[in-house]
Amino acid sequence: METITQDHKKAARYAKAMGHPIRMYVLELLSKQSCCYSGDLSEVLPIVKSTLSQHLKELKDAGLIQGEIEAPRIKYCLNTENWVEAQELFNKFLNRPITITNCQTEK
Amino acid sequence: METITQDHKKAARYAKAMGHPIRMYVLELLSKQSCCYSGDLSEVLPIVKSTLSQHLKELKDAGLIQGEIEAPRIKYCLNTENWVEAQELFNKFLNRPITITNCQTEK
DNA sequence: AACTTTGTTCGTAATTTCACGAACTACGAA
DNA sequence: TTCGTAGTTCGTGAAATTACGAACAAAGTT
């Protein structure tokens, strides 16, 4: 019986991809508006385009976003399927009712 | 007007701390049972205790867990306040309704 | 005091991340 | 075909991450 499951690894992979302010910003944007272009981001973010491209690749590799060629630009949007999976995993692992008595010693 | 806000940084910090299978496992455990000891984890996890200690420090530094001395052991539990904040930020960014009613959305 | 238990800190090494500028690719327009 | 636009890839460093074993620290036990 494995203690660290594939689901732990998947959830951690998603979390890791979310673990940078720039990438968090992109994900927030894409969860609020259906899509965006790299150029839109490049205009408002304080990083050069190659670095941005690296971050977008990170999100793509993690499966959280996808790019669609719309020449000469690339349209980015959420990868809905994986996005839902990430939400489900986070719910499964992390959501618990917050109780009044916290931190109580078991046994 | 900053595009990358403090909330983006906070959320990313939490996500980053969650971005490792071992740490995801620990967080899951603590969200299911109120507390645990390093020794409990060390028994089931495939890493040496110093590495585990490092991961617990990472979670502590991110503010997601807290340790309480209960000599000769240390009792770990979630840092409820920050845990709630993390959930709120994630909810905000995942575009979902906030579940806990008495927690107000900031302004 | 000496020993045991529990966990942290230190030293080290391999790997990954993050950021930049330069070079490159793909495509449409002139 | 040449030029401009949009974005990726490459090469490079600095810094952070991950892992291990050895050494250390704190506190209870004998």
Side-chain angles (χ1 to χ4, degrees):
Chain A
M1 194 194 73
E2 289 292 320
T3 57
I4 302 295
T5 66
Q6 283 305 312
D7 275 359
H8 288 118
K9 292 179 187 170
K10 274 197 212 169
R13 181 81 176 83
Y14 289 133
K16 189 178 179 187
M18 293 162 58
H20 189 285
I22 296 281
R23 298 196 293 263
M24 186 63 75
Y25 173 85
V26 173
L27 289 175
E28 185 201 14
L29 188 73
L30 289 180
S31 74
K32 303 272 187 286
Q33 71 182 55
S34 60
C35 67
C36 74
Y37 299 91
S38 178
D40 305 339
L41 299 168
S42 205
E43 276 174 22
V44 298
L45 292 174
I47 53 173
V48 302
K49 58 180 182 168
S50 59
T51 302
L52 173 59
S53 185
Q54 223 174 217
H55 282 301
L56 292 175
K57 180 168 161 33
E58 186 67 33
L59 288 172
K60 228 186 309 178
D61 289 349
L64 288 175
I65 68 172
Q66 56 199 152
E68 186 186 327
I69 294 174
E70 202 173 80
R73 301 185 294 177
I74 294 181
K75 186 174 74 176
Y76 287 103
C77 52
L78 289 180
N79 181 323
T80 316
E81 192 180 331
N82 290 339
W83 184 250
V84 167
E85 182 184 48
Q87 292 190 6
E88 285 173 355
L89 286 172
F90 286 171
N91 277 341
K92 173 179 160 189
F93 286 145
L94 309 175
N95 267 2
R96 65 149 187 181
I98 306 295
T99 55
I100 307 294
T101 57
N102 190 30
C103 209
Q104 200 173 331
T105 318
E106 46 165 344
K107 90 183 230 175
Chain B
M1 192 194 72
E2 290 292 321
T3 57
I4 302 294
T5 65
Q6 284 304 313
D7 274 0
H8 289 120
K9 292 179 187 170
K10 274 196 210 170
R13 182 80 176 86
Y14 289 134
K16 190 178 179 188
M18 292 163 53
H20 190 285
I22 296 282
R23 298 195 292 265
M24 186 61 74
Y25 173 85
V26 172
L27 290 174
E28 184 202 12
L29 189 72
L30 289 180
S31 74
K32 301 272 188 288
Q33 71 182 51
S34 60
C35 67
C36 75
Y37 299 92
S38 177
D40 305 338
L41 299 168
S42 205
E43 277 174 20
V44 298
L45 292 174
I47 52 172
V48 302
K49 58 180 182 169
S50 59
T51 302
L52 173 59
S53 185
Q54 226 172 215
H55 283 300
L56 293 174
K57 180 168 163 30
E58 187 66 33
L59 288 172
K60 228 186 309 177
D61 290 348
L64 287 175
I65 67 171
Q66 57 199 150
E68 186 187 325
I69 294 174
E70 203 174 80
R73 300 183 295 177
I74 294 180
K75 187 175 74 176
Y76 286 103
C77 53
L78 290 179
N79 181 323
T80 315
E81 191 180 333
N82 290 340
W83 184 251
V84 168
E85 182 184 49
Q87 294 197 355
E88 283 174 355
L89 286 172
F90 276 54
N91 281 339
K92 176 176 156 188
F93 289 137
L94 297 182
N95 206 17
R96 329 170 88 239
I98 294 175
T99 50
I100 311 292
T101 48
N102 64 351
C103 296
Q104 303 230 71
T105 26
E106 33 145 5
K107 338 194 162 100

